[in-house]
Amino acid sequence: MTSDLWAALPAAVREKVDELVVEGRSVQAVFAVRSSGVTPRPGLRACQDLIAERGAVLAGRSEPGSSGSPS
């Protein structure tokens, strides 16, 4: 189910979702999916499942340029 939703998202939305997931901004990632224009509009649970799945896929990646301390 979540892979079908992922495939239905426009490429730009997929990129934005991955960026938000890597940054740890899951609420914003869910919002991006729900407001992507996919019809029917995905439910909150489906979006949460998708974000969790993307988190597992992207595990170990960190925000580009981040060193863990402010610059």
Side-chain angles (χ1 to χ4, degrees), residues 10-66:
V13 174
R14 290 193 305 260
E15 289 175 19
K16 183 64 177 175
V17 167
D18 278 354
E19 177 183 309
L20 291 167
V21 168
V22 168
E23 293 172 356
R25 299 171 63 195
S26 58
V27 172
Q28 291 88 347
V30 167
F31 179 78
V33 173
R34 287 187 46 93
S35 62
S36 66
V38 170
T39 55
R41 185 177 184 197
L44 182 58
R45 182 60 185 200
C47 292
Q48 291 172 318
D49 290 347
L50 177 63
I51 299 311
E53 184 178 292
R54 294 308 299 163
V57 168
L58 300 170
R61 294 189 190 179
S62 62
E63 184 178 352
S66 69

